[in-house]
Amino acid sequence: MKSPKITFIVSILFIVSILAGLGILAFIPKASPKVVKPNIVYIMADDLGYGDVGAYGQEKIKTPNLDQMAADGLRFTSFYAGSTVCAPSRCSLMTGKHTGHSYIRGNGEIPLRPQDKILPQYLQEQGYTTGMFGKWGLGDMNTTGMPDLKGWSKFTGFLHHVEAHFQFPGIVWNFVQGNKPIRERVRTEGGQSSFANDYIEERALEFIDKNKEKPFFLYLSLTIPHAELVTTNKILSRYQDKDGNSVFAPEKPYPGLHYGGQMQPRAAYAAVVSRIDDYVGDVRAKLAELGLAENTLIFFTSDNGTHVEGGRDHDDVEFFRSSGPLRGVKRDMYEGGIRVPGIACWPSTIQPGQITDFATANWDWLPTLLELSGSPAKPTALDGTSLVSLLKKNEAPKAATNRTLYWEFHERGFSQCLRQGDWKIVRFVETGQPTKTELYNLADDLGEQNDLAPTQPAELQRMTKLLDAARTRSVHPAFVTAGY
């Protein structure tokens, strides 16, 4: 005789089979699959040139981790910084607007305003924990641009640009959001003996450890290889021989002025670039250790082109081919000032060994990450376009086929440039001097050596109209220059 329990189970199974046969179960709601949001890591070097990475042709400086990241993912050959200098480049990244529309269009300690909603604020609305480590530069203490007011759950680093100039500061800012936010200055381990970027990397790795159970956005904003080429003996030694001499001798010692002195500036530059590469390797290793690598999108880039200060000159740029095949350096409107490395890796999504020449810029990352995070936000007046199709299928966004990319710069007078397709226009305005306009075809002349303005009047006129239409007059008086 069957037990009552067995009889009950058999009856239930019989009823389920009847309902299934009648198709009735199809109308019973099913639980939606859980959407797993990707972790996001954005690593940005400070003044790293387009040609400073092995994957972009560098032969003297070793960058094995970045080269492997490029082999594992998608390498952008036409990726652009937001500006040719620091602050406006970072503002473009955070706001999704180029310097023709953004609030901060040049260097200076100008904070973001309350109405400037930026990337981490959008991501926090989607459940992300946000952490920034390194150089901020968009709001000093007691301003509307303080990190905790702009969506950062955790921040450790430098608020002011000049603070970030020095590699052994001995002290950094620490911010934590909350009902009673923490806003304090803390000593780095070892005080003056602590290399700032090592300390910052340690805090970033701790952030990953602490937030491994939920989606996070990590912004690692390094302060190298910016102009102070001062580092530890251990880091420097990889480009020295057994007697402590530079492998790039003869060197031109730099006595130091604003930035600290360096007897071997070429060796030091190479060493800190390789140290950046170490940090990239450490972050990838931490993600793999925690089982997070597959579902983490990592992007690596620079805030602008390489520099010629702090003991480094144009001969050094040429020695390392830091700008690669490009003309210009930091503060130039030529490609070497704004075109930078861009490497994306996302093992679950991006196929290895991909390359794209589609022209993109750091202001594209706000709409890209809004889409990837599932955000319903539709910010108006963005200049960026989502790169999700590029990341997932290596297909250029259809809506951006004929897009324009724009930059302006408010030092040494006023300068602008705009790219559309293969064409690029550059304009220089100086008070009391005739305006100078140049035109280049980047497909034929990547090094911008052949000015076509005198021979292509129709194209010059078309591009001039696009250049004039690309901007609105700045609302901040610091960025109203030479009548613009």
Side-chain angles (χ1 to χ4, degrees):
M1 183 176 180
K2 295 180 180 178
S3 71
K5 183 176 181 180
I6 293 174
T7 301
F8 175 75
I9 292 173
V10 170
S11 299
I12 291 297
L13 292 174
F14 176 74
I15 292 170
V16 168
S17 66
I18 294 296
L19 291 175
L22 294 173
I24 294 174
L25 288 183
F27 296 98
I28 299 176
K30 297 179 181 179
S32 300
K34 183 179 180 182
V35 176
V36 180
K37 298 178 185 289
N39 301 309
I40 303 157
V41 177
Y42 196 102
I43 305 175
M44 188 162 69
D46 194 344
D47 291 11
L48 183 75
Y50 182 84
D52 279 331
V53 176
Y56 288 83
Q58 178 56 230
E59 296 180 349
K60 293 183 173 70
I61 304 173
K62 305 303 180 185
T63 57
N65 292 299
L66 283 165
D67 300 344
Q68 186 61 54
M69 183 174 161
D72 292 341
L74 175 64
R75 179 167 63 91
F76 293 70
T77 58
S78 293
F79 185 78
Y80 290 92
S83 176
T84 190
V85 291
C86 176
S89 185
R90 293 157 200 272
C91 182
S92 288
L93 170 65
M94 290 292 127
T95 62
K97 298 180 181 182
H98 61 51
T99 47
H101 297 136
S102 61
Y103 179 63
I104 299 172
R105 303 190 185 189
N107 273 345
E109 302 311 314
I110 297 170
L112 291 167
R113 302 164 298 177
Q115 64 264 41
D116 296 319
K117 189 172 181 179
I118 66 170
L119 180 55
Q121 292 172 294
Y122 288 109
L123 292 178
Q124 280 191 334
E125 291 174 350
Q126 297 309 302
Y128 279 76
T129 302
T130 57
M132 187 198 161
F133 302 87
K135 183 176 178 178
W136 176 228
L138 299 177
D140 209 345
M141 188 66 178
N142 298 320
T143 71
T144 54
M146 288 190 296
D148 61 308
L149 300 181
K150 304 310 294 182
W152 295 110
S153 311
K154 168 74 173 176
F155 165 78
T156 300
F158 307 101
L159 296 176
H160 195 288
H161 286 91
V162 177
E163 292 176 337
H165 283 187
F166 307 110
Q167 305 303 343
F168 292 85
I171 196 165
V172 296
W173 288 99
N174 180 58
F175 279 62
V176 181
Q177 274 185 333
N179 293 329
K180 294 183 178 179
I182 297 173
R183 299 166 181 164
E184 62 185 358
R185 302 194 79 175
V186 297
R187 293 192 65 80
T188 57
E189 295 178 8
Q192 291 296 327
S193 66
S194 181
F195 186 55
N197 287 271
D198 283 0
Y199 181 85
I200 287 164
E201 185 219 22
E202 290 169 3
R203 304 291 80 76
L205 295 178
E206 288 174 357
F207 174 82
I208 295 174
D209 258 323
K210 184 176 180 180
N211 295 284
K212 58 181 178 289
E213 301 297 335
K214 50 192 173 182
F216 61 80
F217 171 44
L218 166 62
Y219 175 33
L220 181 54
S221 178
L222 303 168
T223 69
I224 48 178
H226 194 275
E228 183 171 82
L229 299 177
V230 178
T231 186
T232 66
N233 291 334
K234 182 179 180 180
I235 293 173
L236 184 62
S237 67
R238 69 176 72 185
Y239 290 98
Q240 293 175 320
D241 63 21
K242 59 182 178 61
D243 297 318
N245 301 309
S246 169
V247 298
F248 304 124
E251 293 265 18
K252 291 184 288 186
Y254 174 65
L257 292 169
H258 171 73
Y259 300 107
Q262 176 54 258
M263 296 298 291
Q264 300 174 6
R266 287 182 176 176
Y269 187 84
V272 293
V273 171
S274 288
R275 192 63 179 145
I276 292 169
D277 186 74
D278 294 340
Y279 299 145
V280 171
D282 291 345
V283 169
R284 294 193 72 192
K286 172 61 70 174
L287 294 169
E289 172 195 328
L290 299 175
L292 302 176
E294 286 291 310
N295 192 43
T296 300
L297 166 61
I298 308 178
F299 187 73
F300 175 84
T301 190
S302 178
D303 65 342
N304 47 248
T306 191
H307 64 265
V308 285
E309 53 191 317
R312 184 167 160 81
D313 59 25
H314 285 284
D315 288 340
D316 299 317
V317 173
E318 183 58 33
F319 176 81
F320 285 114
R321 298 276 295 162
S322 287
S323 295
L326 311 178
R327 176 182 179 181
V329 294
K330 178 180 180 180
R331 291 189 169 83
D332 288 332
M333 286 283 97
Y334 298 116
E335 294 289 284
I338 53 178
R339 192 186 294 211
V340 290
I343 304 172
C345 187
W346 187 4
S348 67
T349 303
I350 300 175
Q351 294 298 310
Q354 301 292 301
I355 299 173
T356 180
D357 194 42
F358 179 71
T360 58
N362 75 2
W363 57 81
D364 292 325
W365 278 98
L366 186 144
T368 300
L369 297 182
L370 291 189
E371 182 175 346
L372 290 176
S373 69
S375 173
K378 303 293 182 184
T380 58
L382 292 185
D383 296 304
T385 188
S386 174
L387 305 178
V388 170
S389 66
L390 204 59
L391 298 175
K392 292 186 173 182
K393 303 176 184 177
N394 201 357
E395 294 180 0
K398 294 180 181 178
T401 303
N402 209 33
R403 72 189 304 215
T404 58
L405 304 177
Y406 173 88
W407 299 262
E408 65 183 51
F409 185 52
H410 295 262
E411 296 178 26
R412 305 180 299 198
F414 177 65
S415 54
Q416 302 166 278
C417 70
L418 177 140
R419 176 177 174 177
Q420 184 186 57
D422 294 329
W423 288 100
K424 181 179 174 186
I425 186 171
V426 185
R427 176 193 280 162
F428 302 95
V429 181
E430 292 186 41
T431 303
Q433 299 294 324
T435 297
K436 182 180 180 183
T437 306
E438 300 171 356
L439 181 69
Y440 299 97
N441 187 298
L442 298 176
D444 301 327
D445 181 24
L446 185 59
E448 296 170 288
Q449 298 299 309
N450 183 23
D451 178 13
L452 299 176
T455 60
Q456 298 281 345
E459 192 61 42
L460 177 63
Q461 184 181 34
R462 186 185 75 85
M463 291 292 287
T464 298
K465 289 181 179 178
L466 292 175
L467 184 68
D468 290 337
R471 74 183 301 267
T472 55
R473 188 177 176 90
S474 173
V475 299
H476 196 290
F479 310 123
V480 178
T481 309
Y484 284 80

